[in-house]
Amino acid sequence: MTNHLDCTLRDGGYYTNWNFSSEVVTKYLAALSLAPVQTVEIGFRSMDKDRNKGSYATTSDGFLDSLNIPDSLNVAVMVNASDILSLNNLSNVECAKIFFPRDCSDSRVSIVRFACHQHEVAQVNDLAKILSKRGYRVFVNLMQITTYEVEKLISTIGTLDPKYIEVLYIADSLGSLDHDKLAQLSETLKTCWPNQLGIHTHDNLNLANSLSMAAMTSGFSWVDSTVLGMGRGPGNARTEELLAVVLDESGESTNINELLSLSLNEFAELKNLNGWGTNALYMLAAKHGIHPSYIQSALSDPGIPRTELLNVVSYLKDSNTFKFTTGKMKKAKESVKRLQHKHGSWDPRTDLEGKPVLIVGSGLSVTSVVSQKICQMVEHEGCVVITLNQVTSIPAR
C-alpha cells in the first residue's frame, strides 16, 4: 500500500511566502479528506521571525489548533535539521522542547520530518529518539539524493537508527533524478535500510510524476506530491494526477472530484499568479547541479532581462551552487550586468550605415586650433564623431 503525503502548504509556500488564504486552505483540507490521501504536511516547524512569512512557515501548535483539519488526516510538519543544529548551545532535549513544546498526545502533529543534508544526518538520531519517546513518528528526508555516491549513501544511512526513524525519504532536491538512477537507488536502499522508504520528486526534467509512479511500483511505501505540482522551483509531482492514475488502475471509488476542482480553479489561479512549472532553465539547472531556487529567483527578478537568463545559468554552473545563498544570487546578477555593459546594445552596422564618420584620437595633435577646425568640418559635413578615450577639446553635440 502506498501512503500519499501531500505537502502543498509546505513546498508551495516557496511561492506565496507561506501565506495562504483561509478559504483555499479549508477547501484544500476538505478535498484531501475525501481523497485517498492519508497525510498532509501543513508547513515547516521553525523559529523564523520573518514577519513577511505566513503562519505556514512556523506552524505553531496554537495555529494548527485554529485550523479545521479533518480527523481522517494525519498531520506532518517539516524541520530543517540545520535550524535545530544551529542551537548548539542547547542540549538536544532543550532543542526538541523549543521546537515541539507539546507531546504528541497534546498536539495535532503526529509526524515530524527532518530535512537533512549529508553532514547533518548523524546528528538527527538523538532528536529522533527524544521525539519518538514523546509519541511522534519521525521521518528523515535525505536532501539532494543525486549527489550521493553509493558508498557514501550506505555509510550515511548506517548512521541512522531505524528503531526511532520510521521512514527514510530520498528527496530529489536538484531535480536531476532519472529512471536509471532511481532503479540504482532503489536496489541500494533495500540492502541497507530495513524500514519504509519514501520519495519526494521535483519536476525539472518533467519526470516528477513518472518517477513517483515508478517508485510506488518498486517498493516505496510513501510518496510526496502537491496540488497542481505547486512547489519550489519547477514544482513537484501532482497529487490529483497520481491519484487519478492509481484509482483508475485499482478501480476504487474514492472521490477525488473536489480535489480536481480545486486544482482546476483555485490552484490554477495561484499558478497563473506565481508561475511555477518546468522550463528549459530548470532543465539546465538539473543538468549542472544548480539549486532550483536560483532559477526561481532569477525568473521573479524584474532587474534581470529575459534575454540574459541563460547568462545567469552560465555563471552559476561554474560555481558550487548545490545550496542557495542570496550572496551567490547577487553575484550572478552582477555578472549579468557586467555582460550587458560590456556588450552594450549599440550596433555600428545599423546606426552608422550611410553616414560620414570622423574618428578622433586623443593624442597631443588635437590642439585647440585643430579642434576648432574639426568642429567646423563636422558642422559642414554632418559627420558622426567617434572619440577614442576622452577628448575634452571637442565639445559634445
Side-chain angles (χ1 to χ4, degrees):
M1 174 184 174
T2 301
N3 297 280
H4 288 268
L5 185 153
D6 188 285
C7 52
T8 304
L9 299 179
R10 197 265 308 165
D11 219 332
Y14 284 101
Y15 276 99
T16 66
N17 221 10
W18 293 278
N19 286 288
F20 292 91
S21 74
S22 58
E23 293 79 11
V24 168
V25 171
T26 298
K27 288 183 179 181
Y28 160 79
L29 293 172
L32 289 185
S33 70
L34 297 174
V37 174
Q38 297 79 19
T39 304
V40 56
E41 189 168 67
I42 299 290
F44 282 104
R45 174 62 61 91
S46 73
M47 300 296 106
D48 197 326
K49 301 300 183 182
D50 187 342
R51 293 184 179 181
N52 293 318
K53 291 182 179 180
S55 299
Y56 298 91
T58 54
T59 55
S60 66
D61 284 315
F63 173 69
L64 291 174
D65 290 342
S66 72
L67 299 178
N68 185 20
I69 305 172
D71 293 336
S72 62
L73 293 174
N74 298 314
V75 175
V77 294
M78 177 168 280
V79 180
N80 285 320
S82 58
D83 287 350
I84 288 186
L85 298 178
S86 66
L87 303 176
N88 51 21
N89 59 322
L90 300 177
S91 69
N92 287 320
V93 172
E94 291 171 321
C95 288
K97 195 68 176 177
I98 288 173
F99 276 77
F100 294 92
R102 301 183 189 176
D103 288 343
C104 182
S105 59
D106 192 34
S107 172
R108 194 61 181 84
V109 176
S110 59
I111 296 171
V112 177
R113 296 212 293 177
F114 286 107
C116 302
H117 291 93
Q118 286 190 31
H119 63 283
E120 300 162 340
V121 174
Q123 301 175 66
V124 168
N125 273 320
D126 287 341
L127 291 166
K129 182 177 180 179
I130 292 166
L131 291 174
S132 180
K133 289 187 173 182
R134 291 175 56 194
Y136 291 99
R137 301 164 66 187
V138 180
F139 298 3
V140 167
N141 283 32
L142 297 182
M143 311 300 285
Q144 301 185 354
I145 192 62
T146 52
T147 65
Y148 281 82
E149 297 294 338
V150 173
E151 293 78 10
K152 183 63 176 178
L153 178 61
I154 293 172
S155 64
T156 298
I157 292 174
T159 64
L160 294 173
D161 191 341
K163 182 179 179 181
Y164 302 109
I165 298 169
E166 181 179 339
V167 181
L168 176 66
Y169 259 85
I170 58 172
D172 181 27
S173 313
L174 301 177
S176 52
L177 187 65
D178 59 27
H179 284 276
D180 289 340
K181 182 67 173 177
L182 175 62
Q184 295 169 8
L185 284 168
S186 179
E187 290 302 311
T188 300
L189 291 167
K190 289 174 184 176
T191 65
C192 60
W193 181 250
N195 294 346
Q196 298 179 79
L197 294 170
I199 188 168
H200 177 92
T201 58
H202 279 259
D203 209 25
N204 296 62
L205 303 176
N206 205 22
L207 294 175
N209 271 52
S210 62
L211 288 169
S212 298
M213 291 296 297
M216 290 161 62
T217 58
S218 64
F220 283 69
S221 303
W222 288 77
V223 62
D224 282 9
S225 58
T226 58
V227 178
L228 207 60
M230 185 180 191
R232 180 166 57 182
N236 308 105
R238 296 169 290 282
T239 300
E240 65 281 359
E241 293 181 19
L242 286 178
L243 293 180
V245 172
V246 170
L247 293 177
D248 182 63
E249 293 178 349
S250 67
E252 293 183 37
S253 58
T254 308
N255 187 358
I256 64 169
N257 289 340
E258 293 299 319
L259 189 60
L260 289 172
S261 176
L262 194 71
S263 70
L264 294 172
N265 292 287
E266 285 84 354
F267 277 85
E269 291 180 11
L270 284 173
K271 186 173 184 179
N272 288 335
L273 179 64
N274 295 287
W276 70 85
T278 195
N279 56 42
L281 295 173
Y282 283 118
M283 291 182 177
L284 287 172
K287 177 182 177 182
H288 296 297
I290 299 170
H291 196 287
S293 288
Y294 286 105
I295 306 302
Q296 181 176 333
S297 178
L299 287 169
S300 63
D301 191 333
I304 301 178
R306 291 294 178 265
T307 54
E308 299 297 332
L309 288 170
L310 279 176
N311 287 328
V312 173
V313 175
S314 295
Y315 174 84
L316 292 170
K317 73 179 183 181
D318 297 323
S319 305
N320 180 5
T321 49
F322 288 154
K323 180 180 180 180
F324 177 82
T325 67
T326 55
K328 283 185 179 177
M329 188 67 236
K330 182 180 179 181
K331 288 181 179 179
K333 186 174 180 179
E334 289 172 349
S335 174
V336 168
K337 285 185 176 180
R338 286 195 298 270
L339 283 173
Q340 286 180 284
H341 180 72
K342 178 180 178 181
H343 297 297
S345 59
W346 181 62
D347 186 353
R349 292 171 299 182
T350 55
D351 293 347
L352 300 180
E353 185 177 4
K355 299 176 182 178
V357 177
L358 176 64
I359 300 177
V360 181
S362 56
L364 295 176
S365 62
V366 187
T367 64
S368 59
V369 175
V370 174
S371 296
Q372 185 178 4
K373 292 182 178 180
I374 289 174
C375 292
Q376 291 172 352
M377 185 185 73
V378 169
E379 287 293 332
H380 184 266
E381 300 291 339
C383 295
V384 175
V385 180
I386 299 175
T387 63
L388 305 180
N389 297 319
Q390 188 175 13
V391 182
T392 56
S393 56
I394 305 277
R397 301 180 65 216

